[in-house]
Amino acid sequence: MSKPLSDHDRKKQISVRGLAGVENVTELKQSFNRHLHFTLVKDRNVATKRDYYFALANTVREHLIGRWIRTQQYYYEKDPKRVYYISLEFYMGRTLQNTMVNLALENACDEAMYQLGLDMEELEDMEEDAGLGNGGLGRLAGKNHRTIHKSYIQSVETNDRNSPFLFVFSPFPACFLDSMASLGLAAYGYGIRYEFGIFNQKIVNGWQVEEADDWLRFGNPWEKARPEYMRPVHFYGRTEHHPDGVKWVDTQVVLALPYDTPVPGYRNNVVNTMRLWSAKAPCEFNLKDFNVGGYIQAVLDRNLAENISRVLYPNDNFFEGKELRLKQEYFVVSATLQDIIRRFKVSKFGSREIARTDFSKLPDKVAIQLNDTHPAMAIPELMRVLVDEEKLSWEKAWDVCVRTCAYTNHTVLPEALERWPVDLFAHLLPRHLEIVYEINRRHLEVSDFPGDSDRLRRMSLIEESGQKRINMAHLCIVGSHAVNGVAQIHSDILKATIFKDFYEMEPHKFQNKTNGITPRRWLVMCNPGLAEVIAERIGEDFIRDLDQLQTLRNYLNDEGFIRDIAKVKQENKLKFAVHLEEHYKVKINPNSMFDIQVKRIHEYKRQLLNCLHIITYYNRIKKEPNKHWTPRTVMIGGKAAPGYHTAKMIIRLITAIGEVINNDPVVGDRLKVIFLENYRVTLAERAIPAADLSEQISTAGTEASGTGNMKFMLNGALTIGTMDGANVEMAEEAGEDNFFIFGMRVDDVDALEKKGYHAQEYYNRLPELKQAIDQIAGGFFSPKQPELFKEIVNMLMHHDRFKVFADYEDYIKCQEKVNELYKNPKEWTKMVINNIAGCGKFSSDRTITQYAREIWGVEPTLEKLPAHVSNSWPRDKVRPFVASNLALRKK
């Protein structure tokens, strides 16, 4: 196997026309050595690879700081409308390489490190993934995994920092932050600085084992603590009603300490801010208690308050209200709103700074985007601030609140929506419960359906059946001026099903904003070879305007272009094959089809359908070993929630299938099965450029959108998938003839649900399906534990809500078409080109532009800011500064 090009060699080939900037290599080397000596206090004799990474990170960070300060100066001077994107998850991945790409530093840094005798790839690998999310939002939960992992809960409540258990959701705000900066929007991302990120997954004897991801143990060179902006957050207490208003008293206080991370735009000198809050206990101890031991206990009790930002609550797709989770949600919302209002009140009039007090202007200067229902507390908290603290009337405050807030939904099924028990609300946030009750009363009074008690009950914010609960999605809809889904099919389902009543009452609120991905990280950075091949044909402006990829269709019959696209794919496959051999100790055939399914392990994503195809293909090879079979390397990766038993059993089944197939000499390298351990952003950046086939096979109507499907498409993988989520629009853009579409549509699923789904009928009718199920049930893949997978078989036969068997036959036939096309490399590559050419719609730049114009009321710009920083002191600051220093010198 020939050795693939390294990233260093590949970047050397990248055009100097703009894909890589020109920087002074000597200056970078000097800065690197300065940071190694004076920041890290090391020299080359004792420095480690991690030290070299930190020196390089600080060197690159220097090029950010001036732009970062200048951007904030510009926002202060121009006072634009600001966008605040609140999310409990930001799955940022690594920062170094992305920053070098956006600042046009990658070639210069490569060369500087090369001249210093250091390997850039090795240094990049020293960076920890900022895994503050998991890569998808919650969907429907199966009945058998509603219990959160008890060990995790106990570990948090007892302050066991070594607990390995964590499972979180993460949508796509990382891509959105990149696009906001690249489009010149005055935007901020707000979230929580979790001490422990998404767990590290280990596969031990075929089983998932969770290990803590202590991603901050070596420090984070990209963040800057801002203690001067620390904010108090209140919990518990009681309310007092007075003639002049309501007071929330006798509360417990937790301090929110902000940490800022710069988010650079693509070569426009704009650097925005992601602010993450860390919980700190207030330093209020009574020293007289020291002698009786109270002081020591008080110090120890600080940890209980700081648990709020210790780790994200491990929700495994079925909402289960817990106090810690609600604390986290209110914590980030309260701190963020205090920050927003502080910034709003500071206005500039000419050269003077004045205090802005007219809150009716808040929607003209502030847009708050609620990413799912997790930050829904922003609505009652903003009302509390405006009514109780700023003394606005309820009517004026509500008008301001609705015009300021907007809500993005990420789930199509009601089981996954947040519903907080009223009792918990009353205990933790008593004033906010009063506000929610008042919002609900007024909402039902102005309803267009006064006599329709059933409809009013469905639309109420308070669910009365059983334990009283607050429906947070309803709160978001009522308290926002815009509600959007994240793919057209998802948005249509929302309007037709779970939010139908609200849509009929206020249709103007409902919109669609199909997800997108940033081409900077998911093409230029992770696949520089492909980016260069494209740039050679159509120039480099496509990086800012992905719609320009459409012009690649002009090269569909260009033999040179077809050859170059195929060559880049093969180089990526060779490189990934080397990685797999080094890290997984598996040698694979790089000429085989790389068939990849990487996403959270969940029943609705139907990794089990993939398993049934693998087993069927294996049985066919065994039956006719002398036939020419299209070689495949099937790779499946993803993490299972610690408390999600069925998902963990699915992982065990995948690894068991691999153990049998990979060691069968009859099969050889015609079929391999690999489970990609610890799937995360960094591994995705390696796997996705190498993929030939992308598996997007969820049951139609269950996936809100997906973004992994877009990343595969942009990097030259063909998709086999159902008409679900964004797959529908992807097929439209690429042309359905360039997609491997199979299975039921949403209407078919609904019809089958009404008719009744009976797995036994498919089992009896399809011999190959029966054989595969019998092999799983009979212990063929678990000979030492024949009963190991009985639960999975029982679920598939009797309790499968996602109807795997119903799509099996069509899926197998579609896979046969995939095999046939793969035998014709030229036609395969032409289909790849059609897919890449259809990716323009799926840029997060397009998504954010639509949010900006249609929801936030701001206009994107491609204007490039000056890179220099103004160092002049404002005149009104100079005299007090000089006077105070003279006074100090006299003392």
Side-chain angles (χ1 to χ4, degrees), residues 423-455:
D423 292 344
L424 177 58
F425 235 79
H427 175 60
L428 189 66
L429 300 166
R431 176 57 180 145
H432 298 78
L433 179 60
E434 295 176 349
I435 291 172
V436 170
Y437 274 141
E438 181 64 13
I439 292 172
N440 191 49
R441 183 186 69 79
R442 292 170 180 255
H443 156 59
L444 295 179
E445 280 183 355
V446 301
S447 167
D448 292 337
F449 315 104
D452 191 342
S453 58
D454 284 343
R455 189 187 290 257

Side-chain angles (χ1 to χ4, degrees), residues 679-747:
Y679 183 69
R680 59 204 185 281
V681 173
T682 301
L683 186 54
E685 291 165 358
R686 298 177 186 272
I688 289 173
D692 292 305
L693 186 68
S694 164
E695 301 267 356
Q696 308 296 331
I697 57 178
S698 55
T699 310
T702 60
E703 184 75 81
S705 170
T707 54
N709 45 7
M710 303 169 188
K711 295 164 189 171
F712 279 105
M713 183 181 181
L714 181 59
N715 281 274
L718 300 185
T719 301
I720 182 168
T722 54
M723 293 299 267
D724 193 28
N727 290 357
V728 177
E729 292 162 79
M730 289 164 55
E732 291 172 356
E733 295 298 312
E736 290 194 13
D737 292 343
N738 298 304
F739 242 63
F740 295 107
I741 300 169
F742 75 93
M744 300 178 289
R745 273 41 172 191
V746 172
D747 291 342

Side-chain angles (χ1 to χ4, degrees), residues 495-767:
K495 293 186 290 186
T497 57
I498 59 173
F499 298 152
K500 182 174 184 289
D501 294 322
F502 292 94
Y503 173 65
E504 291 177 351
M505 180 176 171
E506 297 181 292
H508 61 276
K509 281 191 177 184
F510 288 80
Q511 305 184 21
N512 174 62
K513 297 290 175 280
T514 298
N515 282 347
I517 57 173
T518 169
R520 271 74 66 179
R521 180 181 287 271
W522 294 110
L523 180 59
V524 177
M525 190 185 101
C526 74
N527 202 344
L530 180 58
E532 172 62 11
V533 167
I534 294 171
E536 285 174 352
R537 266 65 178 193
I538 67 173
E540 296 158 7
D541 290 344
F542 74 90
I543 300 170
R544 286 181 173 274
D545 179 11
L546 210 61
D547 281 332
Q548 294 187 21
L549 291 179
Q550 295 178 29
T551 58
L552 291 177
R553 291 195 170 101
N554 298 332
Y555 299 91
L556 268 175
N557 297 309
D558 184 322
E559 296 291 338
F561 186 59
I562 294 171
R563 186 171 56 251
D564 288 347
I565 292 290
K567 181 182 177 183
V568 168
K569 177 62 70 175
Q570 192 60 28
E571 287 177 352
N572 290 334
K573 291 174 68 175
L574 284 167
K575 185 175 179 181
F576 193 51
V578 170
H579 175 80
L580 292 176
E581 192 169 348
E582 290 176 355
H583 293 83
Y584 293 84
K585 311 304 177 188
V586 176
K587 194 165 186 177
I588 62 174
N589 175 10
N591 295 315
S592 65
M593 181 197 307
F594 282 16
D595 175 355
I596 301 181
Q597 184 182 19
V598 282
K599 49 187 76 242
R600 285 180 302 113
I601 307 299
H602 197 288
E603 290 162 81
Y604 92 88
K605 292 183 180 288
R606 299 205 296 190
Q607 285 90 357
L608 287 173
L609 182 59
N610 197 347
C611 288
L612 291 176
H613 169 253
I614 295 168
I615 296 171
T616 300
Y617 200 55
Y618 169 70
N619 289 334
R620 289 181 176 183
I621 295 173
K622 292 283 284 186
K623 186 177 180 179
E624 298 182 83
N626 296 321
K627 184 178 177 179
H628 176 69
W629 297 97
T630 301
R632 280 195 189 224
T633 299
V634 182
M635 305 175 217
I636 302 175
K639 297 176 181 180
Y644 188 175
H645 175 70
T646 300
K648 287 189 166 183
M649 289 303 301
I650 291 171
I651 291 176
R652 184 64 189 97
L653 176 61
I654 296 166
T655 58
I657 292 170
E659 289 164 7
V660 171
I661 293 177
N662 297 345
N663 293 294
D664 191 326
V666 174
V667 174
D669 64 0
R670 289 179 290 186
L671 180 62
K672 295 287 185 186
V673 180
I674 299 172
F675 187 83
L676 297 175
E677 181 183 78
N678 202 32
Y679 183 69
R680 59 204 185 281
V681 173
T682 301
L683 186 54
E685 291 165 358
R686 298 177 186 272
I688 289 173
D692 292 305
L693 186 68
S694 164
E695 301 267 356
Q696 308 296 331
I697 57 178
S698 55
T699 310
T702 60
E703 184 75 81
S705 170
T707 54
N709 45 7
M710 303 169 188
K711 295 164 189 171
F712 279 105
M713 183 181 181
L714 181 59
N715 281 274
L718 300 185
T719 301
I720 182 168
T722 54
M723 293 299 267
D724 193 28
N727 290 357
V728 177
E729 292 162 79
M730 289 164 55
E732 291 172 356
E733 295 298 312
E736 290 194 13
D737 292 343
N738 298 304
F739 242 63
F740 295 107
I741 300 169
F742 75 93
M744 300 178 289
R745 273 41 172 191
V746 172
D747 291 342
D748 300 324
V749 174
D750 291 342
L752 182 57
E753 186 68 32
K754 292 175 183 176
K755 174 187 173 185
Y757 168 67
H758 303 289
Q760 188 74 39
E761 295 176 3
Y762 301 93
Y763 174 83
N764 293 335
R765 183 171 61 82
L766 303 170

Side-chain angles (χ1 to χ4, degrees), residues 29 216 356 444 556 656 795 841 870 881:
K29 288 162 62 179
L216 291 169
R356 186 187 278 127
L444 295 179
L556 268 175
M795 183 273 293
K841 179 178 181 178
S870 173
F881 175 80

Side-chain angles (χ1 to χ4, degrees), residues 264-431:
Y266 183 70
R267 300 177 187 179
N268 61 352
N269 293 328
V270 172
V271 180
N272 283 339
T273 301
M274 177 178 69
R275 175 162 286 184
L276 302 180
W277 300 99
S278 179
K280 300 294 178 186
C283 299
E284 296 174 359
F285 303 115
N286 193 335
L287 290 179
K288 72 178 183 180
D289 291 336
F290 181 81
N291 291 331
V292 294
Y295 176 79
I296 300 300
Q297 187 59 46
V299 173
L300 296 176
D301 287 346
R302 289 169 58 88
N303 290 325
L304 297 177
E306 295 175 4
N307 279 337
I308 290 175
S309 61
R310 192 85 68 202
V311 71
L312 183 57
Y313 200 83
N315 192 320
D316 56 357
N317 302 307
F318 188 89
F319 173 72
E320 188 168 354
K322 294 291 183 180
E323 184 172 319
L324 175 62
R325 177 67 170 179
L326 184 54
K327 273 187 174 180
Q328 289 180 330
E329 294 183 0
Y330 179 67
F331 172 79
V332 68
V333 159
S334 173
T336 299
L337 281 174
Q338 291 179 67
D339 219 33
I340 290 172
I341 290 171
R342 171 191 61 80
R343 198 175 285 117
F344 167 76
K345 285 184 173 180
V346 177
S347 178
K348 196 175 181 191
F349 183 77
S351 61
R352 293 185 299 117
E353 187 178 285
I354 61 173
R356 186 187 278 127
T357 57
D358 183 0
F359 276 88
S360 67
K361 304 294 185 185
L362 186 71
D364 299 329
K365 290 298 180 181
V366 171
I368 297 175
Q369 189 69 37
L370 308 178
N371 190 35
D372 210 55
T373 56
H374 309 142
M377 287 301 302
I379 293 168
E381 172 66 2
L382 182 56
M383 288 297 293
R384 186 190 68 80
V385 171
L386 294 177
V387 173
D388 294 355
E389 297 181 4
E390 302 298 335
K391 304 304 180 183
L392 270 69
S393 69
W394 180 278
E395 291 74 16
K396 288 183 179 179
W398 184 245
D399 175 69
V400 168
C401 179
V402 172
R403 290 194 293 127
T404 301
C405 296
Y407 162 54
T408 299
N409 172 272
H410 290 280
T411 183
V412 297
L413 292 166
E415 291 93 320
L417 295 174
E418 288 188 303
R419 292 174 165 87
W420 288 107
V422 166
D423 292 344
L424 177 58
F425 235 79
H427 175 60
L428 189 66
L429 300 166
R431 176 57 180 145

